[in-house]
Amino acid sequence: IIEANMADQEIIDLAKAYEAMDPADAAAIFESMSNDLDTVALIMNNMSTDAQGEVLAEMSPEFAASVSKKLLP
């Protein structure tokens, strides 16, 4: 359980780092991770909805749609 909590905190910290980036830069990094949408969604689910929207707006429409589907509960 301790390891799981540490992993959760690492994801939260990573999400905060992406929130602090320029949305276009974060979007470009996420798009380069297109082969791992689960990880992109995991990080983005820990970002604020405002930050999610800003990053999604900078993605290509196709990639943003794919990520959006993964962000659904």
Side-chain angles (χ1 to χ4, degrees), residues 37 40-41 44 56 59 62-71:
L37 287 179
V40 173
M44 289 192 70
L56 286 167
M59 294 175 177
E62 296 82 11
F63 188 71
S66 296
V67 171
S68 294
K69 289 178 187 175
K70 285 286 188 178
L71 291 173

Side-chain angles (χ1 to χ4, degrees), residues 9-22:
Q9 188 58 51
E10 288 175 4
I11 295 295
I12 291 167
D13 292 345
L14 190 56
K16 287 180 186 176
Y18 277 102
E19 282 186 9
M21 288 182 184
D22 180 86

Side-chain angles (χ1 to χ4, degrees), residues 29-38 40 63:
I29 294 168
F30 285 141
E31 287 200 47
S32 74
M33 299 168 61
S34 63
N35 63 334
D36 192 359
L37 287 179
D38 290 335
V40 173
F63 188 71

